[in-house]
Amino acid sequence: MPAIVLIGAQWGDEGKGKATDLLGEKLQWVVRYQGGNNAGHTVVLPNGDKFALHLIPSGILTPGVKNVIGNGVVVDPSVLLAELDGLEARDVDTSNLLLSADAHLLMPYHVAIDKVTERFLGNKKIGTTGRGIGPCYQDKIARVGVRAQDVLDESILTQKVEAALEFKNQVLTKIYNRRALDARRWSTRRWSSPRASSTASPTPASS
């Protein structure tokens, strides 16, 4: 099946969202294959309506197009759910959105590690957005991350979060002299909502 691959060759703000929206009428599927919510796409429709998207592919604005958040994307569940609510409040049909079951979830401890690392580096800091994207990808590569499918099994989700915090709290307290994070503050119900259960599906997304 032929495909069009849209890649930003600079450092963002190249107009990828606009290009995707323009191509959307000619496509059956729009797949986002990597990245997180550290940036976004602003799309202005012919009627003047403006939409700012951070995780969901801009193909969602084209009726009938299937949209996939692939397994190479790191997903902040709270951002995704807020984005879905915002679109539905404006009568945008989101029923054609699929989330790869293998996509990794961005957890609060990723944000904590991201921010404290940047402060520690001082003048040598990377300049991240502080949203935990880099640390989440680190966990993905190390094979210790939480995936979307894990929210369907509370015992697996709890086990993975507790295991992650056991190590990350050592980093926070012994390297950065910060307080340890308490897993009990993050109820698994926050991550395993009915909407999340219906959104996560084992789609054949690109890596």
Side-chain angles (χ1 to χ4, degrees), residues 183-197:
R184 291 174 297 182
R185 292 182 57 191
W186 307 324
S187 168
T188 53
R189 293 185 180 89
R190 176 182 178 184
W191 310 104
S192 52
S193 69
R195 180 194 281 275
S197 299

Side-chain angles (χ1 to χ4, degrees), residues 38-70:
N38 56 325
H41 300 307
T42 300
V43 178
V44 181
L45 301 184
N47 62 4
D49 287 347
K50 182 183 292 186
F51 292 87
L53 302 172
H54 300 278
L55 278 173
I56 298 175
S58 53
I60 197 71
L61 301 175
T62 304
V65 173
K66 295 285 187 182
N67 291 265
V68 179
I69 299 177

Side-chain angles (χ1 to χ4, degrees), residues 101 147-155 157 191-193 196-198 200-201:
R147 296 182 294 178
Q149 62 185 296
D150 296 330
V151 304
L152 305 179
D153 189 321
E154 187 171 331
S155 62
L157 178 62
W191 310 104
S192 52
S193 69
S197 299
S198 63
S201 59

Side-chain angles (χ1 to χ4, degrees), residues 6-12 14 16 33-34:
L6 186 63
I7 300 174
Q10 299 185 56
W11 293 273
E14 305 100 338
K16 296 187 296 295
Y33 58 90
Q34 59 85 36

Side-chain angles (χ1 to χ4, degrees), residues 9-193:
Q10 299 185 56
W11 293 273
D13 298 325
E14 305 100 338
K16 296 187 296 295
K18 181 184 292 185
T20 301
D21 183 59
L22 291 173
L23 291 168
E25 296 180 356
K26 304 176 182 179
L27 305 174
Q28 295 176 305
W29 294 78
V30 173
V31 181
R32 181 173 180 187
Y33 58 90
Q34 59 85 36
N37 63 296
N38 56 325
H41 300 307
T42 300
V43 178
V44 181
L45 301 184
N47 62 4
D49 287 347
K50 182 183 292 186
F51 292 87
L53 302 172
H54 300 278
L55 278 173
I56 298 175
S58 53
I60 197 71
L61 301 175
T62 304
V65 173
K66 295 285 187 182
N67 291 265
V68 179
I69 299 177
N71 70 328
V73 180
V74 291
V75 179
D76 186 323
S78 60
V79 172
L80 176 60
L81 295 178
E83 201 162 302
L84 282 168
D85 289 341
L87 288 170
E88 291 171 359
R90 299 178 66 180
D91 297 323
V92 175
D93 181 13
T94 61
S95 61
N96 282 330
L97 176 67
L98 299 173
L99 169 63
S100 171
D102 289 328
H104 279 244
L105 299 185
L106 199 155
M107 307 297 283
Y109 49 76
H110 292 133
V111 178
I113 292 288
D114 196 357
K115 290 181 177 179
V116 73
T117 301
E118 283 287 272
R119 286 197 296 268
F120 180 80
L121 290 173
N123 294 333
K124 297 180 181 179
K125 65 182 180 180
I126 299 172
T128 73
T129 58
R131 291 184 172 90
I133 308 249
C136 187
Y137 273 115
Q138 288 178 327
D139 280 1
K140 175 182 173 73
I141 299 304
R143 304 179 190 179
V144 296
V146 177
R147 296 182 294 178
Q149 62 185 296
D150 296 330
V151 304
L152 305 179
D153 189 321
E154 187 171 331
S155 62
I156 292 178
L157 178 62
T158 301
Q159 178 185 356
K160 285 194 170 185
V161 170
E162 290 178 348
L165 282 179
E166 185 175 352
F167 171 75
K168 294 183 191 306
N169 278 334
Q170 296 293 318
V171 174
L172 287 170
T173 58
K174 296 182 179 180
I175 297 178
Y176 296 117
N177 195 28
R178 293 291 188 269
R179 292 181 181 179
L181 302 174
D182 186 354
R184 291 174 297 182
R185 292 182 57 191
W186 307 324
S187 168
T188 53
R189 293 185 180 89
R190 176 182 178 184
W191 310 104
S192 52
S193 69

